[in-house]
Structure formats: C-alpha cells, structure tokens
Amino acid sequence: MKVPLTVADFLRRGALVYPDRPALIDEPGTAGTLGTITYRSLERRARGMAIALERMGVGHGERVAIVSPNAARFGISFYGVSGYGRILVPINYRLNTDEVSYIIEHSGASVLLVDPESDAALANVRARHRIVLDGVADAELFAEAPDDAEPAGWDADEDATASINYTSGTTARPKGVQLTHRNCWLNAASFGWHAAVTDRDVYLHTLPMFHCNGWGMPYAVTAMGVPQVVARKIDGEELLRRIDEHGVTLLCGAPAVVAAVLDAGSARRAAGQEVPGRDRVRIVVAGAPPPSKAIERVETELGWEFIQIYGLTETSPLLTINRRQAEWDGLTAADRARLLSRAGAPAVGVQVRTDADGEVLARSNHVFAGYWQQPEDSARVLVDGWFHTGDEGHIDPDEHLVISDRKKDVIISGGENVSSVEVEDCLYQHPAVAEAAVIGVPDERWGETVKALVVVREGQQVTEQDLIEFCRSRLAHFKCPTSVEFRDALARTATGKLQKFKLRAPYWDGYQRRVN
Ligand code: AMP
C-alpha cells in the first residue's frame, strides 16, 4: 500500500489524539489575537480556511501568500492552505513593497494575507484577494468550520508542491524553493525523531515561521499534540519569561536567539534570579556555526541542551544534526562545545560529501523539487542526483561536517540570507558609485553584517551615511550595509571578476572559519 504523505497528516493526528490540548498560544496584545486554541479548534479552523478559500474561488494548486511575523493564523495556514491542496508562499515580513510585490507576481499568488503591522507599508502590493489579518477582515477565513462541513476533495499527491519559500541566493532576485509534501513530511519526521519530540514537549516559536516553514518543526510538533507558544519578536527576557510560564522544553533559532537568551540569562543571574529551563530545555540552532564559547555557556549558564543542525531552504532543510553523544558525556563542557560547534553528522536518509573544491553536496528525500519557474537555476544546483549547497567544508573522521566558508555570494546576517549581488545592484543605482563590492564581515550581534566597498566616480562626492540611507530607502533594512569603506580600486581577476575572497580576507583574519 502506498498512501500519499501530505502535511495534513500532522494536524489530523494531533487533533485526533489530543483534541482538548492547547495547540497554539497566540501572542497576547496584538490585533485580532486568537488567544489559546486547542487542537480541535486548530483542525476546525484549518478546514474552515480551506472552505473559505474555495468559496473565494481559489482552486487547488493556487498560491496563497502570507506576510506576517509568527502568529496563530500563520500556524493555521500551514494546514488550511497546504493541507488542502493549495500552495503556501510564506514571505519575510521585513521585506519592502518592491520585494514583496516581486514575490507575489513571480509566484502568481492570487491571495495575499497581510499582518496588520505591515498593512500600511505594503498598501501598494496587490493580489486578487488581499486580506488583512486583523480579526475582522479575516474573520471568515479563520472561523471554525462545523464538524460536518468538508471542502471539495483534493486528490492528494505527495509530489505536489506544499509551499514555495523565497530565498535570497546568488542572484539579485530571490528564488522560489518548491517544497513538496513529501519533502516536508520526511524532513519533519526525521527532524522530530532526531530532536526526540514527544507529546511531553512544549514548543516556543522563536524561529520565524516564514523561514523554511519554521524549518518544518511546526509539522513535527503538531503531529505529537505539542502545545505551541507563539513569539512574535525576539526579546531575550520575554522569551525566558514565557519559557518559565509555559514550561517550554524546545525552541529553534539562529545564533542571534542564543545570544539574546544568554544576555537575558546573565542579567537574571546578576540580579540573583533564576534562569528557567535547567535540565529541561533544548535549543536547536542553525544558520551559522555559533561560537563554541556561546555553546558552552548554553550548557553551563542556562543548563539547556544545545543542538546544531545544518541545511538550506532547498533541503527542507535538515541535512546534518549535531547532538551530544553519550560518548561525549565524560568531556569538559568546553571540549563538548567544540565538538558541538560543527554542523553535524548526516540525518537519517541523508548522504553528504564534499567535491574536489570542498563544496558540500547532499542527496536526500528532503531536497527540493526545483525553483519555481527557474529551470536553469534548478539545473545548476541539482546535478547528477546531488544537490550543490554552495557551502564549503570538510568531513571530520567521525563523519561530522564542518562548514568553513561559502562559495556562493551570500551573507547570513541574524539568520537571514542577503544576496551580495542584490545590494551591489542597489548601490550601482547611486550616481556617485563607480564600483561596489558587498561582503559579509564578522559581527558580534548578527554573526555577520553587510559591508560595502565602494569606488567613487570621479568628480563625485558621497558619504558613508548617504549610501547607507540610499540602500535603506530601497531595500529591506536587514540587507543594507552597516558600514561603507571607500577604495581607489577593487581586487579583480584578469577577466574583471571581483575577487571577493581577497576583499573579505582581512576582515576574517584570526577566525578559524569564514562564516559566522
Ligand atoms: P537558508 O536557505 O536561508 O536557510 O540558508 C541556508 C544557508 O545557511 C546554508 O547554505 C549555510 O550557508 C547556512 N547555514 C545553515 N545552517 C548552518 C550551520 N549549522 N553552520 C553553518 N552554516 C549554516
């Protein structure tokens, strides 16, 4: 027997086995907050959403975009949209009008769901249906359906696209990563297994839901009936307060989240207060290798378990996982942290190797179906059954992968990708810019931050602040340079190509790896 694997399976089980448990605990104090909803209510609302979309004439396979920070409505949409045969397009809410419009147009989304806080800024972004998630305009979309109401049947197909997640890469415009139901299902099952998710967990949504569908963890925890606490923004002390209040056991995030909770933990300890979660919480981190000192502090100061994973949106994302092995129990915390600072060993069903140039290649059922309507870009990364990650690294004798550099021209700041090419394109629109190179440099707070190296056109004058402001008026702020250095010339190859590695080198002097 072969039963199609679809993301609807996760909610079906959660609601069947744990109907009365809290499923989503929405952010309090926001417009239209849903408060606490049970798994029974989550199932009814997801079904209600599918019925409402059908009434609006949105057919199976059509794209439904959502621009929102973490919210219960986002959690419902994973199932109300994808679970009933439509395609969810989660969009980074920090993007500007231009950037969101591009994604709406490129994905051909017929529905755009917008968080009230982004409504005014995105007033000019249009779609056939544009609905503000304020509890009023979207009341019908998120209402509970009666038990006997069913949307028109969808001929479930595990190879159908469940979501298109736009990701900044080596091109100026983001690319739409098509994740199939099968990709999402197997990623979630494997991630849930490796992270040992059980029905005794309580999950805190610190990772943005738009980022690779919250890396797929929302699916895994839903299947186990795990209560999910929604956090709209990262404030270390507030996260600690919720971890305490709700008895949180599991959270995921970029290294910046680790830094925020460590700072808040230090402040609490200095004030003689307790840090919650000792011997209970596990935190899963990806996006960049966190400093091993931070990993050590997670264990010694917070008493939490640190788990690292590595992957890309294109791989759903789980490729490798690094979790404390029994064999490491006798080591000092510092030695264990050094081992844990590596990306990890392949997850079950994943093969990882490096090629002659040190590029990391992977092969797995989590690897995506291809970029939405960009076959040439897809063919470039999917070669002979191996996915080319654009990351560089090596594999240690114990089969743990270490990511040491990036071949691709991508900067990862605070866990989000920034395409250097996109920022360079923007700088070139300034009349005083003759040449520009955008690189990632190490940064205490964000891991990496965006730096622009600029050659000024003869006879023109421009200041660092002018260029930063110019970018901020055109690009999402997290993509903008935080510093600009003026140069007489930029290092190039004989064929005129920028030598980014040479330009980056002085800033990474003394670092073991060139990713942070
Ligand atoms: P994204 O597709 O936005 O999730 O970004 C994926 C990229 O993040 C990868 O190609 C890596 O460059 C980087 N990345 C993710 N996890 C790790 C990790 N554990 N260590 C180093 N780099 C990572």
Side-chain angles (χ1 to χ4, degrees), residues 211 286-289 308-313 391 403 406 408 412 417:
H211 195 144
Q308 181 167 181
I309 68 161
Y310 160 75
L312 299 84
T313 303
D391 292 312
I403 302 293
R406 251 172 255 130
K408 55 192 173 190
I412 302 185
N417 287 7

Side-chain angles (χ1 to χ4, degrees), residues 453-465:
L453 308 175
V454 168
V455 179
V456 178
R457 203 174 286 287
E458 256 192 52
Q460 299 267 357
Q461 277 195 331
V462 69
T463 67
E464 175 176 27
Q465 211 45 43

Side-chain angles (χ1 to χ4, degrees), residues 15 18-21 38-45 144:
Y18 308 97
D20 298 315
R21 275 207 188 176
T38 61
Y39 270 96
R40 180 184 287 109
S41 176
L42 175 57
E43 187 283 326
R44 286 178 176 163
R45 287 174 199 261
E144 290 190 3

Side-chain angles (χ1 to χ4, degrees), residues 289-435:
S292 57
K293 189 70 203 164
I295 299 175
E296 184 184 341
R297 287 178 61 205
V298 168
E299 180 179 326
T300 54
E301 294 179 15
L302 305 178
W304 298 1
E305 184 184 352
F306 175 92
I307 302 172
Q308 181 167 181
I309 68 161
Y310 160 75
L312 299 84
T313 303
E314 285 88 335
T315 62
S316 300
L318 186 61
L319 291 178
T320 65
I321 181 153
N322 194 348
R323 199 171 174 189
R324 175 177 174 158
Q325 297 187 350
E327 286 80 353
W328 304 347
D329 281 355
L331 302 180
T332 63
D335 284 343
R336 207 165 21 245
R338 259 190 296 282
L339 291 174
L340 285 167
S341 73
R342 303 171 299 168
V348 60
V350 177
Q351 295 170 54
V352 173
R353 66 179 175 92
T354 53
D355 69 9
D357 301 328
E359 181 170 3
V360 178
L361 313 184
R363 186 175 158 72
S364 145
N365 283 306
H366 310 168
V367 175
F368 74 144
Y371 297 110
W372 176 255
Q373 293 180 342
Q374 279 164 305
E376 296 86 21
D377 288 311
S378 309
R380 217 165 286 137
V381 294
L382 293 165
V383 185
D384 298 333
W386 288 86
F387 171 68
H388 291 238
T389 63
D391 292 312
E392 263 176 47
H394 67 266
I395 297 172
D396 275 351
D398 67 350
E399 296 301 331
H400 280 59
L401 175 70
V402 178
I403 302 293
S404 49
D405 204 347
R406 251 172 255 130
K407 269 185 70 171
K408 55 192 173 190
D409 215 351
V410 170
I411 300 160
I412 302 185
S413 188
E416 294 307 322
N417 287 7
V418 178
S419 157
S420 312
V421 181
E422 183 180 5
V423 186
E424 285 159 8
D425 267 11
C426 177
L427 285 164
Y428 276 117
Q429 289 167 34
H430 193 286
V433 173
E435 287 183 57

